[in-house]
Amino acid sequence: MKRRLLIVLCLLCMLMNLLVFSVSAEASGDCGDNATWSLSDDGVLTISGTGAVRDYIYEGASLWPLIKAPWRSHSSRVKKIVINSGITRIGDNAFAGSGIKSVSIPDNVSYIGVCAFENCKVLSSVKLSKSVKAINSATFKGCSALAKIALPASV
């Protein structure tokens, strides 16, 4: 009897370890023709590769060919966004609704899409590079903690 109980307890412990591992595992995928994303356990969403990040929708059902950003289901975990220097375009609704506090747009990015940071309610700091030429409508709509943003002369 004690042996069976011990075996059951061991199996339960092994199952719990598998569950914890799968919940804390890093998420990743593609977000453009040559762009990828990864979300670390500490909430850093990193966009890597070259070229454009796709356009996405923020709310509602998927509208072909637009879909929700692949990291959208993890948006409450996203605390910081790191966009690597090979990225040239941030797509529509790309980071809408995420819990980021600050973002720095690297030098290669020249375009920021419609509603790209919409409803990022704790976003308080945005650093734009001098290469940004277009910031579309409602890019920072609903960013209630964002008190000030310095626009480069190129916009």
Side-chain angles (χ1 to χ4, degrees):
M1 182 71 171
K2 287 183 181 182
R3 185 173 180 191
R4 282 186 186 174
L5 182 60
L6 185 60
I7 291 173
V8 169
L9 287 174
C10 286
L11 288 173
L12 283 174
C13 287
M14 289 172 41
L15 184 60
M16 294 284 283
N17 283 336
L18 287 174
L19 181 62
V20 169
F21 176 74
S22 66
V23 168
S24 66
E26 220 176 81
S28 62
D30 70 328
C31 58
D33 290 341
N34 297 306
T36 60
W37 68 278
S38 65
L39 179 60
S40 66
D41 289 339
D42 60 350
V44 177
L45 175 63
T46 303
I47 308 297
S48 304
T50 59
V53 172
R54 287 187 190 99
D55 290 332
Y56 295 104
I57 63 167
Y58 174 44
E59 296 292 343
S62 294
L63 302 171
W64 187 88
L66 297 178
I67 57 171
K68 290 182 182 178
W71 49 82
R72 182 76 181 117
S73 61
H74 306 283
S75 63
S76 64
R77 289 180 44 213
V78 177
K79 303 300 176 214
K80 179 180 178 182
I81 296 172
V82 174
I83 302 170
N84 289 336
S85 63
I87 300 301
T88 58
R89 180 183 185 280
I90 298 172
D92 296 350
N93 300 295
F95 307 113
S98 63
I100 60 169
K101 293 182 180 180
S102 67
V103 66
S104 180
I105 309 297
D107 287 337
N108 286 3
V109 174
S110 61
Y111 175 91
I112 301 174
V114 174
C115 302
F117 296 95
E118 179 183 6
N119 289 327
C120 293
K121 301 215 183 281
V122 295
L123 178 61
S124 61
S125 172
V126 176
K127 181 181 176 197
L128 297 173
S129 73
K130 293 177 182 175
S131 64
V132 173
K133 293 176 179 47
I135 299 175
N136 282 283
S137 64
T139 295
F140 298 104
K141 177 183 174 187
C143 297
S144 52
L146 186 59
K148 172 173 116 171
I149 185 169
L151 297 175
S154 59
V155 174

